[in-house]
Amino acid sequence: MKTNKNYILVLVLTAFITSLTSFSFAQAPDNRFIVVLDAGHGGKDHGNIGNGYKEKDISLKVMLELGKELEKLKNVKVIYTRKTDTFIDLWKRADIANKADADLFVSIHCNSVANPKPYGTETWVLGEKNTGRNFEFAKRENEVIFLEEDYEKNYAGFDPSSPESTIAIGIEQEVYVEQSILLARKIEDAFKNKVKRKSRGLKQKSLLVIRNTYMPSVLVELGFLTNKREGAFLNTKAGQSKMAKAIKEAIIDYKNELDQNIGESIFVDTDETIIETDTAEVERQTTRVIEDVTFKVQIAASSRKLETKPYNFKGLSDISRESLNNLYKYYYGATSDYNQAKFLEETAKSKGYTSCFIVAYKNGKRIPVEEALKRR
């Protein structure tokens, strides 16, 4: 009997210690690089069915393979919008990424057109270029909202058939477009160089699935199911594995570049001409002060923690640093005057931070710049 009591005591103590350990892990901060993976369509939404291949199935298989590859990496956390054949509202997909405070959002899809000849990969980022095929493409992807309950409430009267609507949804993600372009280019390069697929390049359109994501976001078109040869390739396990591994390599390359470029602009050089603006001219402009809002200029981001001294930032002073998920973001200046913030932005560009951008904070919380400007 005594032996049984001792045995029971050991079990109780073991369970107690285990619970304390589990609690400790649950409370520990998660400093990993967070990637949210989204398989397009699902459930009652089949996507396209070119040559009998279902887009929802292929996108899911590639996404799961990609997730498996990323989960092998020590400092990466993967979150899925769906792991089974289920229908997820478009707005919920972005919401999952935002609540996770993700570093990247990658949505996987397959292409289709009436003509069976086109083939090749495409990677899309949010944009306002809705002419010709771009608008028709955006319209087809966005029309899935009609399968959702309460879509009128969730999308505030958005009309997929209206170019004006598709232009409007690009505003909220605008500050992340440059990082999204950087990732998109790396994905297309990986498809071309590592899998020997034809790359149709990086493109822009207005997509509801990434309209509200507050992080770099891309939509990957793996190829055309309507092309018999390409559809057959994407329907094989080998093809799906190759495409997934190419995306993984692009994400790793993106993160490495993010980590290595501290002290320099980490974003895509858009070859924009720097507008020379002197201080006197700016001071003559009407001020645009937004009460309770602070504007800063984000100039860099890295996993490296640097002292906020001018010698680390090309001579710029008034540098602040923010830590987020093992990533340090660096900002230049702080002002409630939006016109002054624009001047600070031009100053940073003249120092070599050619793709820096303005961010806005209210009560210590980051908000879209467009929302801040409406508060005046």
Side-chain angles (χ1 to χ4, degrees):
M1 182 66 68
K2 184 177 180 180
T3 302
N4 288 340
K5 286 183 179 179
N6 290 339
Y7 178 69
I8 292 171
L9 179 60
V10 170
L11 288 178
V12 171
L13 287 173
T14 301
F16 178 67
I17 293 170
T18 301
S19 67
L20 287 178
T21 305
S22 298
F23 177 78
S24 175
F25 281 126
Q27 299 302 310
D30 193 335
N31 294 321
R32 290 173 291 177
F33 187 80
I34 301 175
V35 181
V36 172
L37 299 181
D38 172 57
H41 310 281
K44 59 186 176 182
D45 174 21
H46 294 286
N48 84 75
I49 313 180
N51 286 303
Y53 306 121
K54 292 182 180 179
E55 179 182 5
K56 67 171 185 175
D57 294 339
I58 293 176
S59 64
L60 178 61
K61 290 175 182 178
V62 172
M63 184 210 67
L64 291 175
E65 182 67 22
L66 171 59
K68 185 176 72 174
E69 290 293 322
L70 289 173
E71 286 173 347
K72 296 176 182 178
L73 304 176
K74 182 179 179 181
N75 295 318
V76 175
K77 177 180 179 180
V78 181
I79 295 174
Y80 304 87
T81 59
R82 71 180 181 98
K83 297 183 77 173
T84 59
D85 184 18
T86 53
F87 178 77
I88 307 292
D89 293 345
L90 293 183
W91 70 268
K92 287 183 180 178
R93 299 170 191 248
D95 193 51
I96 290 170
N98 292 335
K99 286 180 178 177
D101 204 8
D103 297 285
L104 286 181
F105 179 84
V106 180
S107 188
I108 309 294
H109 291 251
C110 298
N111 229 328
S112 71
V113 287
N115 184 346
K117 292 183 179 180
Y119 64 99
T121 64
E122 298 174 345
T123 302
W124 296 77
V125 300
L126 204 62
E128 298 181 0
K129 300 176 181 179
N130 293 308
T131 58
R133 178 175 175 267
N134 285 15
F135 172 66
E136 291 303 318
F137 216 79
K139 177 182 173 183
R140 184 171 70 247
E141 292 289 356
N142 292 331
E143 281 179 341
V144 68
I145 68 172
F146 295 131
L147 296 177
E148 302 178 18
E149 297 180 4
D150 298 327
Y151 72 86
E152 290 128 327
K153 180 179 68 176
N154 292 330
Y155 300 102
F158 173 83
D159 179 6
S161 299
S162 165
E164 290 76 15
S165 286
T166 56
I167 288 173
I169 68 173
I171 295 174
E172 296 181 40
Q173 228 256 352
E174 184 178 355
V175 296
Y176 298 104
V177 167
E178 294 302 332
Q179 295 111 305
S180 301
I181 289 174
L182 177 62
L183 175 61
R185 284 179 176 167
K186 291 184 180 300
I187 291 174
E188 284 302 304
D189 286 345
F191 285 153
K192 180 180 178 181
N193 299 326
K194 297 180 182 299
V195 197
K196 308 305 178 183
R197 308 305 296 171
K198 174 186 177 181
S199 171
R200 295 167 61 91
L202 181 156
K203 301 177 184 295
Q204 290 182 280
K205 63 181 174 183
S206 296
L207 295 164
L208 281 168
V209 71
I210 55 177
R211 73 163 184 171
N212 284 329
T213 53
Y214 295 115
M215 73 282 306
S217 303
V218 297
L219 186 148
V220 181
E221 295 284 359
L222 300 169
F224 288 78
L225 299 185
T226 43
N227 179 282
K228 188 173 182 180
R229 186 173 180 178
E230 189 158 68
F233 169 78
L234 292 174
N235 196 50
T236 65
K237 186 173 182 179
Q240 293 160 8
S241 178
K242 289 178 181 179
M243 300 302 280
K245 288 179 179 177
I247 300 173
K248 182 201 75 169
E249 293 299 323
I251 291 174
I252 293 174
D253 193 20
Y254 168 88
K255 186 179 184 300
N256 287 340
E257 185 163 337
L258 201 71
D259 291 344
Q260 294 169 2
N261 283 277
I262 190 66
E264 300 178 5
S265 172
I266 66 166
F267 308 113
V268 176
D269 185 356
T270 56
D271 294 324
E272 295 179 7
T273 301
I274 303 299
I275 301 173
E276 298 295 336
T277 309
D278 61 35
T279 306
E281 180 182 352
V282 172
E283 289 178 346
R284 287 195 298 268
Q285 295 178 358
T286 303
T287 60
R288 192 177 182 183
V289 175
I290 312 296
E291 297 294 337
D292 301 323
V293 171
T294 300
F295 296 103
K296 300 180 181 182
V297 179
Q298 183 169 326
I299 59 173
S302 174
S303 60
R304 294 171 59 193
K305 183 178 180 180
L306 292 183
E307 291 296 318
T308 55
K309 303 294 184 181
Y311 57 76
N312 280 329
F313 298 94
K314 302 182 180 181
L316 293 176
S317 57
D318 193 15
I319 300 294
S320 57
R321 181 182 63 222
E322 178 184 35
S323 176
L324 181 65
N325 295 328
N326 204 33
L327 183 72
Y328 296 98
K329 295 183 179 181
Y330 296 90
Y331 304 94
Y332 171 48
T335 177
S336 292
D337 184 349
Y338 182 69
N339 284 345
Q340 177 63 19
K342 293 294 290 182
F343 171 68
L344 293 173
E345 181 184 33
E346 294 302 334
T347 301
K349 286 183 177 180
S350 71
K351 292 288 188 177
Y353 296 99
T354 56
S355 294
C356 62
F357 54 88
I358 296 173
V359 297
Y361 288 83
K362 180 175 173 60
N363 298 326
K365 182 179 180 181
R366 186 155 162 175
I367 62 174
V369 173
E370 291 72 22
E371 179 183 330
L373 296 177
K374 293 176 183 178
R375 293 175 179 270
R376 186 174 182 182

